[in-house]
């Protein structure tokens, strides 16, 4: 226990593991852990920098121990009194952060009291009342209180829930609603912060509902409006429990209009002209309205009432519009309230790198309240080291020296207008996620509704027609189905939310728990495919519109969701993994074949899935979607342990995409090639095929040879390979070749097979190295030096062992084989000298290791040839240093009188010169090489080599 508490205090990266151990101990054997309660209480002195999740875990452990019976029968638990005193002190503490600790502890204790066999209702009621009295007017603690209470409502006794429900309903009605008929109240709230407010987003105007309006206004000594979304959430949980699943008492809230700034403010492009305070309030109203509608949808989405179902879709449209406003003007809002008080920011990490950051209980104070911001007069003193505004930083930081509301603020950096349709950036980019409350998992059941692929105007969707005559809806359910349809924007909103929550560990959303998810996803994919086929059949030259681009984005999100589903299966334990794989693939195969009869075999299921998913390549017209499609195939390939049908599907799809005339980024090229090469049955064949198409030209080409030599890559087949991304193609191919020989040829196998593979690998290596003579970009040279060492090292270990037997069987072929390896090694040596001549630090980092392996290769080959009685055929002399073009570097030309073993002007040749001289007579024959092609010798190494 001492070690665990020490870790909690002194080792932040291991803190989560220690708390998990404590949680398991408290659940399995709390009586023994009770002995060490003083140690855990001591940890509380160091929790000020703990993230919210860790404080919650620690308080939950202490709450369990406080409700544990003594070790001996009849023995009282003194720690229970001590913990109660601690909670009271924390709840009444002047430090806001410590009060939040008390809220975590109080709600954890209430939960432990409620789950006991004989719950102490009096104690629960007392503790709930205590916590509520101290947090009601504290906006930070109150937000945490509502969120934590929502998680334990199901355990609290019914009578206590009913009483507290009535209290909260009364608070909500008194503080956050006004009567539409009350003109005095409208005059009172109609103009705030120099902004005109209107009653908008009314879904009750055609219904016989109470004419209430929701307001988000601060009132002195009352609850903050920033907690209204959290209040609505806990109110819905309490109402559901008290009314046995019904929400009759609060159903008017779903359609209530809100008092909101005029929409013209957000639709205007001159929002930067507003004062600082006005922009603060515009942003806060916007975030509050979005979160209020989100919680409304979460509360009522499972209701079967036709009226409420129509209002759910209306609220989704409202959320979509408001989020577009938020994204469009996000850079102009100086401060925005966070969705959850207990989370500082989505996706951030602790200072110790141990996960999501801790909550900032002062965050409302730091980002501004729904009250007038403090006016600070500009200072007359000249500041020291005043920072210039950065163009890269879109959000402008407000300093203490900023002018008051009446003075015009400095111009903000505007967003670049782009015509590219990208729904994830237009609707819900990551930057706005910290300000949005999450949907419940039951909201994603709306995915069962169909997708309308036809272009429609969202403003013309007639919700009021159905709301005005709901009696006909009950008689004719088809009318409501006209409303319950997704458009590309609304479907993308739900898919993005599901994707973000599935990837966020704090949400605890298991994507596998969304019922029939694959069925819904496939139906939407099929709808998009059918729509695109209809467009192509109508006209041969179809113009790509913004609507079609939105559908392409939707298709990408659907593929992402399917990939996330199978990725979640991949993370399961081995026992449940196989069953879930079979279940998911079988259901997917049945959807594809539209049949529920019979039990297909595993092979038939995989073949059907591979055929269906592989066939999507015809529909996909966007590189980002294509890459996600490849990732999905890769995941299923791994789940099926590299099934042959999946390998073939990936081969066909990758080849198809890379032949498309797309402008691929380096990251996309890297993704396509690595997935293809990692799944293909024979990566060496794919590498050879790509090299032959990209780095060589057909002999019967109509282009002039002199022009061809200057034109790489050859994009005739793979149109996506351009001069801009060619270095990425080259890097992936060189790396893949080196990894292939290192993995498969490093150890000797069957001679015939091994020598055949090495011959192919050396030919490919020669072609790759030859590229550097035509394309001398630094990125290509760096890639070659980085990966050639692995290739040559593998040859030293596995390929050189084959030379003796190869020499005995086919002497001339063996000589040709050595010469084929010699030429690229010469070029590599040129590159090494080039890096030193130009003092290129990127290249020079790899030079020492590369030169070492080149030298090792020379001695290794000489050793092998010496074992065959041909030691004199391979001899060494001084090496001339040359540049990339093969010309001698002037500062390193070697004088003739310094050469002992070589007298000719071409004294730097090694194998070729030796074989052409009389020293080759011991081999029983001679070799004939083209000396004109052997004017550069880079495999030569010498002990007195000049570096």
């Amino acid at each position: 226990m001492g070690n665990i508490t020490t870790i909690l205090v002194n080792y932040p990266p291991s803190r989560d593991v220690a708390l998990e151990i404590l949680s398991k101990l408290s659940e399995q054997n709390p009586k023994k852990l009770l002995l060490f309660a003083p140690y855990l209480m001591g940890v509380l002195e160091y929790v000020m920098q703990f993230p919210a999740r860790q404080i919650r875990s620690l308080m939950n452990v202490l709450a369990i121990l406080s409700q544990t019976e003594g070790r001996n029968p009849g023995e009282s638990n003194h720690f229970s009194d001590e913990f109660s005193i601690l909670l009271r002190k924390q709840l009444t503490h002047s430090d806001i952060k410590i009060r939040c600790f008390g809220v975590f502890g109080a709600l954890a204790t209430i939960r432990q009291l409620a789950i006991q066999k004989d719950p102490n209702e009096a104690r629960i009621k007392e503790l709930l009342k205590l916590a509520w009295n101290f947090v009601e007017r504290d906006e930070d603690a109150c937000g945490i209180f509502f969120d934590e209470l929502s998680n334990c409502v199901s355990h609290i006794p019914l009578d206590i829930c009913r009483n507290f429900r009535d209290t909260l309903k009364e608070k909500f009605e008194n503080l956050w609603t006004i009567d539409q008929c009350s003109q005095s109240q409208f005059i009172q709230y109609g103009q705030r912060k120099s902004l005109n407010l209107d009653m908008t987003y009314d879904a009750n105007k055609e219904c016989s509902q109470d004419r209430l309006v929701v307001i988000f206004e601060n009132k002195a000594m009352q609850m903050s409006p920033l907690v209204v979304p959290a209040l609505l959430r806990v109110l819905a949980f309490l109402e559901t429990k008290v009314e046995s699943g019904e929400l009759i008492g609060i159903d008017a809230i779903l359609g209530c209009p809100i008092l909101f700034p005029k929409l013209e403010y957000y639709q205007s492009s001159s929002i930067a002209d507003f004062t600082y305070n006005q922009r603060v309030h515009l942003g806060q109203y916007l975030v509050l309205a979005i979160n209020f509608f989100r919680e409304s949808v979460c509360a009522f989405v499972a209701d079967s009432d036709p009226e409420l179902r129509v209002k759910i879709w209306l609220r989704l449209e409202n959320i979509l519009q408001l989020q577009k406003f938020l994204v469009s003007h996000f850079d102009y809002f100086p401060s925005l309230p966070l969705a959850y008080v207990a989370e500082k920011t989505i996706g951030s990490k602790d200072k110790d790198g141990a996960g999501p950051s801790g909550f900032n209980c002062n965050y409302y104070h730091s980002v501004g309240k729904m009250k007038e911001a403090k006016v600070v007069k500009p200072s007359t003193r000249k500041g020291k080291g005043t920072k210039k505004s950065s163009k890269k930083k879109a959000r402008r930081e407000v300093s203490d020296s900023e002018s008051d509301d009446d003075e015009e603020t400095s111009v903000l950096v505007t967003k670049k207008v782009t015509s590219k349709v990208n729904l994830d950036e237009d609707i819900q980019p990551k930057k706005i996620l910290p300000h949005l409350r999450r949907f419940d998992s039951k909201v994603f059941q709306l995915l069962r509704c169909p997708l309308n692929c036809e272009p429609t105007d969202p403003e013309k969707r007639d919700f009021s027609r159905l709301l005005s005559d709901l009696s006909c809806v009950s008689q004719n359910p088809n009318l409501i189905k006209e409303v319950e349809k997704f458009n590309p924007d609304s479907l993308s909103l739900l898919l993005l939310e599901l994707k973000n929550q599935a990837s966020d560990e704090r949400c605890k959303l298991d994507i596998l728990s969304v019922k029939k998810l694959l069925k819904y996803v496939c139906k939407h994919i099929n709808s998009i495919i059918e729509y695109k086929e209809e467009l192509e059949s109508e006209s041969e030259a179809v113009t790509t519109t913004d609507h079609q681009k939105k559908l392409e984005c939707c298709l990408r999100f659907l593929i992402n969701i399917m990939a996330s589903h199978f990725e979640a299966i991949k993370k399961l334990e081995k026992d449940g993994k196989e069953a879930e794989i079979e279940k998911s693939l079988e259901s997917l195969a049945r959807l594809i074949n539209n049949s529920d009869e019979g039990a297909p075999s595993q092979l038939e299921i995989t073949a059907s899935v591979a055929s269906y998913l592989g066939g999507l390549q015809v529909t996909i017209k966007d590189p980002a979607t294509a890459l996600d499609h490849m990732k999905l195939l890769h995941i299923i390939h791994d789940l099926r342990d590299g099934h042959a049908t999946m390998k073939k599907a990936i081969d066909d799809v990758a080849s198809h995409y890379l032949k498309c005339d797309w402008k691929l980024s380096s990251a996309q090229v890297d993704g396509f090639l690595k997935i293809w090469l990692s799944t293909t049955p024979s990566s060496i064949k794919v590498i050879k095929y790509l090299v032959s198409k990209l780095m060589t030209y057909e002999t019967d080409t109509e282009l002039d040879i002199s022009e061809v030599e200057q034109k790489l890559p050859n994009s005739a087949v793979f149109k996506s390979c351009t001069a801009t991304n060619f270095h990425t193609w080259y890097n992936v191919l060189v790396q893949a070749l080196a990894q292939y020989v290192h993995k498969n040829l490093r150890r000797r196998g069957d001679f015939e097979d091994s020598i055949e593979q090495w011959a192919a690998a050396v030919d490919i290596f020669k072609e790759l190295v030859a590229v550097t003579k035509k394309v001398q970009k630094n990125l290509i040279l760096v890639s070659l030096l980085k990966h050639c060492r692995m290739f040559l090292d593998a040859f030293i270990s596995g390929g050189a062992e084959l030379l003796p037997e190869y020499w005995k069987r086919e002497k001339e072929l063996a000589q040709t084989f050595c010469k084929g390896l010699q030429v690229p090694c010469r070029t590599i040596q040129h590159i090494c000298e080039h890096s030193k001549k130009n003092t290129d630090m990127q290249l020079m980092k790899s030079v020492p290791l590369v030169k070492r392996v080149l030298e090792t290769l020379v001695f290794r080959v000489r050793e092998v040839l010496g074992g065959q009685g041909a030691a004199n055929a391979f001899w060494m002399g001084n090496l001339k240093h040359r540049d990339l073009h093969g010309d001698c570097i002037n500062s390193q030309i070697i004088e003739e009188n310094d050469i002992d073993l070589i007298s000719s002007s071409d004294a730097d040749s090694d194998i070729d010169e030796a074989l052409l001289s009389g020293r080759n007579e011991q081999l029983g024959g001679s070799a004939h090489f083209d000396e004109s092609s052997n004017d550069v010798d880079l495999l030569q190494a010498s002990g007195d080599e000049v570096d």
Side-chain angles (χ1 to χ4, degrees):
M1 181 55 65
N3 291 335
I4 292 179
T5 53
T6 301
I7 290 172
L8 288 175
V9 175
N10 298 320
Y11 298 95
S14 303
R15 197 180 289 151
D16 285 323
V17 178
L19 286 170
E20 184 179 355
I21 293 172
L22 285 175
S23 298
K24 290 182 178 180
L25 289 174
S26 63
E27 293 172 0
Q28 296 173 1
N29 204 332
K31 289 186 178 181
K32 289 185 178 180
L33 187 61
L34 184 60
L35 295 173
F36 302 95
Y39 291 94
L40 299 178
M41 291 289 283
V43 175
L44 292 176
E45 297 181 9
Y46 304 92
V47 298
M48 294 300 288
Q49 300 302 323
F50 279 25
R53 69 180 191 285
Q54 294 178 353
I55 295 172
R56 185 185 293 111
S57 298
L58 181 59
M59 285 298 189
N60 187 58
V61 171
L62 294 174
I64 293 174
L65 298 182
S66 68
Q67 303 307 315
T68 302
E69 297 179 355
R71 293 194 64 187
N72 301 319
E75 183 179 350
S76 61
N77 183 356
H78 299 291
F79 178 71
S80 178
D81 298 333
E82 184 179 351
F83 189 63
S84 298
I85 295 171
L86 172 68
L87 292 180
R88 183 176 289 274
K89 287 182 177 180
Q90 288 180 334
L91 290 170
T92 57
H93 202 278
S94 59
D95 190 326
I96 190 171
K97 198 165 187 179
I98 295 179
R99 286 204 299 274
C100 293
F101 296 166
V103 174
F104 281 119
L107 270 299
T109 305
I110 289 173
R111 185 179 184 278
Q112 293 303 318
L113 288 169
I115 62 177
Q116 294 180 2
K117 294 181 179 179
D118 186 15
N120 188 343
E121 295 191 13
R123 175 62 178 153
I124 295 174
K125 188 175 181 180
E126 177 189 355
L127 193 55
L128 185 62
K129 183 179 180 181
L130 174 69
W132 171 244
N133 289 338
F134 284 113
V135 304
E136 180 181 358
R137 295 178 179 85
D138 187 330
E139 53 194 18
D140 306 299
C142 189
I144 295 177
F145 176 80
F146 287 144
D147 286 331
E148 294 298 312
L149 182 60
S150 300
N151 297 327
C152 61
V153 164
S154 58
H155 304 289
I156 299 177
L158 184 61
D159 291 339
I160 298 176
C161 287
R162 182 180 290 107
N163 294 334
F164 198 63
R165 185 275 312 263
D166 296 338
T167 301
L168 293 183
K169 282 179 67 175
E170 183 180 356
K171 285 285 183 182
F172 187 89
E173 292 176 4
N174 293 337
L175 295 178
W176 314 123
T177 62
I178 59 175
D179 191 346
Q180 295 183 25
C181 300
S182 176
Q183 295 296 327
S184 61
Q185 288 183 313
F186 267 98
I187 295 174
Q188 178 183 358
Y189 296 109
Q191 187 169 0
R192 280 286 194 255
K193 330 301 180 194
S194 301
L195 297 173
N196 293 323
L197 307 183
D198 282 344
M199 186 183 71
T200 186
Y201 297 120
D202 186 3
N204 287 338
K205 60 183 179 181
E206 305 295 345
C207 308
S208 57
Q209 297 282 359
D210 296 335
R211 309 297 286 171
L212 298 178
V213 181
V214 176
I215 59 174
F216 302 123
E217 288 294 328
N218 230 353
K219 296 184 179 179
M221 303 301 293
Q222 296 293 342
M223 230 187 303
S224 168
L226 297 171
V227 302
V228 172
L231 170 60
L232 177 59
R233 178 176 177 81
V234 72
L235 194 57
F237 275 97
L238 291 168
E239 185 74 15
T240 301
K241 179 164 185 176
V242 172
E243 301 298 335
S244 302
E246 299 292 334
L247 294 169
I248 300 175
I250 61 171
D251 57 355
I253 295 178
L254 178 61
C256 272
I258 60 175
L259 204 60
F260 194 72
K262 287 186 175 181
L263 296 182
E264 289 83 357
Y265 296 150
Y266 300 102
Q267 294 168 345
S268 172
S269 59
S270 59
I271 196 169
D273 296 336
F274 286 88
T275 65
Y276 171 73
N277 273 343
Q278 286 176 329
R279 285 185 280 113
V280 167
H281 298 304
L282 284 172
Q284 291 177 343
Y285 271 113
L286 191 56
V287 170
L288 274 174
I290 292 172
N291 289 328
F292 181 75
F293 289 156
R294 278 175 164 257
E295 291 296 349
S296 300
V297 170
C298 293
F300 295 93
V301 70
D303 203 298
S304 60
D305 183 82
E307 176 186 328
L308 297 181
R309 287 166 59 187
V310 173
K311 291 179 182 179
I312 287 294
W313 285 89
L314 181 57
R315 286 305 182 221
L316 283 177
E317 297 287 347
N318 299 152
I319 292 170
L320 191 62
Q321 183 188 30
L322 291 171
Q323 285 191 194
K324 287 183 177 180
F325 288 156
L326 180 60
V327 174
S328 300
H329 306 299
F330 185 81
D331 297 334
Y332 296 103
F333 298 133
S335 56
L336 293 171
L338 300 181
Y340 297 93
V341 187
E343 296 177 7
K344 186 175 181 181
T345 178
I346 294 288
S348 67
K349 297 193 175 186
D350 305 329
K351 294 179 180 180
D352 52 32
S357 73
F359 63 88
N360 177 9
C361 290
N362 294 310
Y363 95 92
Y364 287 131
H365 302 279
S366 64
V367 300
K369 299 180 181 180
M370 293 288 287
K371 61 182 181 183
E372 203 70 27
K374 184 178 180 180
V375 177
V376 182
K377 295 182 179 180
S379 174
T380 57
R381 298 178 59 186
K382 293 183 179 180
K384 296 181 180 180
T386 305
K387 294 182 179 179
K388 296 181 179 180
S389 59
S390 174
K391 293 182 179 180
K392 294 182 180 179
K393 191 169 184 180
R395 183 182 291 274
R396 180 171 174 265
E397 295 182 357
V398 182
S399 63
D400 293 335
S401 62
E402 192 168 27
S403 60
D404 58 10
D405 293 349
D406 298 329
E407 295 187 16
E408 189 172 344
T409 58
S410 60
V411 180
L412 298 175
V413 178
T414 57
K415 295 169 63 178
K416 293 182 179 180
V417 179
T418 175
S419 60
K420 184 178 180 181
V421 175
N422 195 357
L423 289 180
D424 49 350
E425 293 298 325
D426 296 338
I427 297 175
Q428 193 162 303
K430 290 184 178 180
K431 64 183 179 181
I432 73 169
L433 293 182
H435 310 288
L436 304 182
R437 293 185 71 87
R438 307 180 190 102
F439 283 134
D440 286 341
S441 58
K442 56 189 176 184
V443 176
F444 301 118
Q445 292 300 317
L446 289 175
L447 290 172
R448 68 182 183 276
C449 301
L451 170 64
N452 180 22
C453 294
E454 296 291 337
T456 57
D457 186 357
E459 296 180 359
K460 295 182 179 180
R461 296 189 71 184
D462 190 7
F463 293 94
S464 59
R465 179 173 64 89
L466 289 177
L467 292 173
S468 62
D469 191 8
L470 288 173
S471 59
C472 69
V473 173
S474 60
Q475 298 171 4
N476 187 3
N478 292 328
L479 292 177
I480 198 172
K481 291 182 180 179
E482 295 298 319
V483 173
E484 289 185 314
K485 281 187 177 181
F486 285 108
N487 55 42
D489 288 345
S490 56
L491 178 60
S492 298
L493 172 67
L494 219 57
L495 293 174
L496 284 169
E497 186 72 25
L498 178 56
K499 177 187 174 183
N500 291 328
Q501 291 194 29
S503 59
D504 191 348
E505 294 180 356
R506 286 167 290 180
C507 298
K508 297 181 180 179
L509 173 67
D510 182 10
I511 195 170
L512 300 178
S513 65
V514 181
K515 297 180 180 178
K516 300 181 180 180
L517 178 62
L518 288 179
K519 178 180 179 181
Y520 305 151
V521 169
C522 282
K523 284 187 175 182
H524 294 316
I525 290 176
N526 292 337
S527 298
I528 296 174
I529 292 174
E530 292 172 3
Y531 177 73
K532 287 191 172 186
E533 289 176 350
E534 290 178 3
L535 286 181
E536 292 175 358
S537 63
E538 292 175 0
S539 174
E540 294 183 359
V542 179
T543 304
T544 302
T545 63
D546 286 347
H547 178 72
Q548 293 175 35
K549 292 178 181 178
K550 288 182 178 181
L551 285 177
E552 190 70 35
C553 287
C554 275
L555 183 59
R556 174 160 55 92
F557 300 149
L558 290 165
I559 291 173
N560 272 332
I561 292 299
M562 192 179 292
S564 299
H565 179 88
F566 286 104
E567 189 68 35
I569 296 176
K570 200 173 179 180
K571 295 178 182 178
L572 292 176
E573 297 293 336
K574 188 175 181 179
D575 295 338
K577 184 176 179 180
E578 293 297 329
E580 192 63 40
I581 293 172
E582 296 299 328
K583 177 183 175 183
S584 297
L585 291 181
E586 184 175 353
S587 62
L588 187 59
R590 291 184 183 278
L591 290 170
I592 295 166
N593 297 327
N594 294 321
S595 175
D596 294 329
E597 299 179 0
S601 65
Q602 188 180 87
L603 180 61
E604 292 174 338
I605 290 173
T606 307
S608 179
V609 171
S611 175
Y612 172 74
L613 295 179
L616 295 179
Q617 60 178 305
V618 180
T619 305
I620 296 173
K621 306 297 182 184
D622 177 69
T625 309
L627 182 57
D628 289 334
H629 181 212
M630 286 284 291
K631 292 177 180 178
L632 170 61
L633 292 171
H634 190 203
I635 293 171
I636 299 178
H637 168 275
D638 292 344
L639 288 174
R640 275 303 191 191
D641 298 325
H643 199 279
T645 54
M646 292 304 304
K647 288 183 180 294
K648 186 178 184 305
I650 294 176
D651 274 350
D652 295 340
V653 170
S655 178
H656 171 80
Y657 286 147
L658 291 173
K659 290 177 181 178
C660 293
D661 190 8
W662 287 339
K663 293 182 179 180
L664 298 180
S665 66
S666 293
Q668 290 172 334
V669 171
D670 186 79
F672 281 120
L673 289 176
K674 285 187 175 179
I675 292 175
W676 188 6
L677 293 170
S678 64
T679 57
T680 185
S682 178
S683 60
I684 191 69
K685 291 182 179 179
V686 175
I687 296 171
K688 183 178 181 180
Y689 172 67
L690 291 173
V691 169
S692 66
K693 296 299 180 183
L694 295 172
M695 303 171 193
T696 59
Y697 281 81
E698 299 293 339
T699 55
D700 59 347
T701 180
E702 298 178 358
L703 295 175
D704 185 66
I705 298 299
S706 60
E707 295 179 359
V708 169
E709 291 179 350
Q710 303 298 324
K711 187 179 179 181
L712 280 183
N714 180 0
S715 303
V717 177
F718 291 94
K719 297 181 177 61
S720 61
C721 182
T722 63
T724 305
N725 59 32
F726 177 60
H727 67 276
T728 306
W729 289 74
Y730 186 85
N731 179 67
V732 174
L733 292 175
V734 172
Q735 182 182 7
L737 178 63
Q739 290 175 346
Y740 174 81
V741 297
H742 182 79
K743 180 180 178 181
N744 299 288
L745 304 180
R746 191 176 179 86
R747 295 181 180 179
R748 178 174 177 177
D750 179 69
F751 174 79
E752 296 292 344
D753 183 53
S754 297
I755 202 65
E756 181 181 353
Q757 292 187 65
W758 267 116
V762 168
D763 288 342
I764 297 171
F765 186 64
K766 183 178 178 180
E767 293 289 346
L768 288 170
V769 175
V771 171
T772 59
K773 291 186 175 294
K774 300 177 182 178
V775 185
Q776 296 176 359
K777 289 184 177 180
N778 200 50
L779 290 173
I780 289 181
L781 300 180
V782 169
S783 299
L784 179 60
L785 287 190
K786 181 179 178 181
H787 301 297
C788 71
R789 186 167 59 90
M790 183 185 294
F791 181 92
L792 296 175
D793 186 57
F795 180 80
I796 293 170
S797 302
E801 295 180 357
L802 304 174
L803 289 180
E805 188 171 349
Y806 198 24
W807 205 274
K808 291 179 181 178
R809 296 189 182 188
E810 300 286 347
K811 187 189 319 178
E812 293 184 2
L813 292 179
Q815 294 171 1
T816 305
F817 180 78
C818 291
K819 177 178 173 60
L821 184 60
Q822 178 189 16
V823 173
C825 290
R826 290 174 177 173
T827 307
I828 292 172
Q829 177 68 21
H830 278 172
I831 297 172
C832 293
E833 298 306 325
H834 165 81
S835 67
K836 290 195 294 183
K837 177 183 176 182
N838 296 340
T839 61
D840 190 319
M841 298 306 297
Q842 269 190 309
L843 291 171
M844 289 177 67
K845 287 191 297 185
S846 303
V847 166
L849 294 176
V850 171
K851 294 188 75 173
R852 182 182 300 175
V853 77
L854 283 174
E855 184 178 351
T856 304
L857 175 62
V858 171
F859 284 101
R860 177 62 174 149
V861 174
R862 187 175 189 277
E863 177 187 353
V864 171
L865 294 179
Q868 298 301 311
N872 292 330
F874 190 100
W875 62 288
M876 296 179 292
N878 288 331
L879 176 67
K880 286 186 179 181
H881 297 267
R882 304 178 185 269
D883 59 17
L884 288 176
H885 302 287
D887 300 327
C888 290
I889 299 175
N890 293 332
S891 61
Q892 295 181 336
I893 295 180
I894 304 171
E895 298 294 337
E896 289 186 357
N897 54 9
D898 292 335
I899 302 176
D900 297 329
L901 300 177
I902 308 168
S903 60
S904 65
S905 60
D906 293 328
D908 59 329
S909 63
D910 52 350
I911 294 179
D912 293 345
E913 290 293 333
L915 294 176
L916 288 170
S917 67
R919 297 179 178 84
N920 194 36
E921 294 177 358
Q922 297 183 24
L923 301 178
S926 62
H928 302 279
F929 298 101
D930 183 5
E931 295 188 21
S932 63
S933 64
N934 194 35
D935 57 342
V936 181
D937 185 359
L938 292 172
L939 187 56
Q940 182 65 46
S942 173
D944 55 351
E945 174 183 339
V946 180
D947 292 331

